[in-house]
Amino acid sequence: NAQHVAHYLQQHAKISAVTYPPLFTPGSQLSVLYNKQCTGGGSTFSFEVGQDEAGAFRFLNALKIFKLAVSLGGTESLISHPASTTHSGVAKAVREKFSIFDTTIRISIGIEYADDLIADLRQALEAL
């Protein structure tokens, strides 16, 4: 499910980046390391949405299936905004050094039908 959702997001015009190991550029150092050490990408990844925090929040607030959460992982699909939750106490310059921007979204894909999750993401992206 995660790979299916990540591929959808990677191709969407309103998503500027998807960080999911199976989608690393083939031949890159990250891809080589991933292929050497892993057999799958897991269920959690991040992506960039919108132009600013307000846009990211519009997207998050429009979701219907995904549940907003600080802690990710479980059977249900969860989503979070790390800059305002888990990493809110970290200075913005430090967060950005580690690629945690106001537009960063972390997502954990659960066991729901992947096409339903994509439909939810699609309708939320239309809110931007």
Side-chain angles (χ1 to χ4, degrees):
N1 280 355
Q3 191 162 345
H4 192 67
V5 170
H7 278 287
Y8 168 77
L9 290 169
Q10 184 182 42
Q11 297 172 16
H12 198 285
K14 293 183 180 179
I15 302 297
S16 58
V18 175
T19 304
Y20 184 59
L23 301 180
F24 289 155
T25 303
S28 70
Q29 186 176 3
L30 288 173
S31 177
V32 169
L33 182 62
Y34 165 73
N35 288 319
K36 184 177 180 180
Q37 295 182 348
C38 303
T39 58
S43 64
T44 302
F45 60 94
S46 66
F47 59 95
E48 304 299 323
V49 64
Q51 301 296 316
D52 53 23
E53 185 179 79
F57 285 177
R58 271 194 308 280
F59 166 77
L60 291 169
N61 289 334
L63 291 167
K64 297 177 182 174
I65 295 174
F66 287 88
K67 293 176 177 45
L68 286 173
V70 175
S71 176
L72 300 179
T75 58
E76 70 279 2
S77 291
L78 304 170
I79 199 160
S80 73
H81 183 260
S84 67
T85 57
T86 56
H87 293 74
S88 62
V90 178
K92 186 173 183 169
V94 175
R95 284 195 318 260
E96 290 181 351
K97 180 178 179 182
F98 293 99
S99 300
I100 300 170
F101 305 102
D102 289 341
T103 56
T104 301
I105 303 295
R106 289 194 69 223
I107 190 170
S108 176
I109 303 298
I111 61 172
E112 301 92 348
Y113 187 55
D115 288 342
D116 290 342
L117 297 175
I118 289 171
D120 191 25
L121 293 165
R122 182 180 301 117
Q123 65 83 26
L125 287 164
E126 290 172 6
L128 293 177

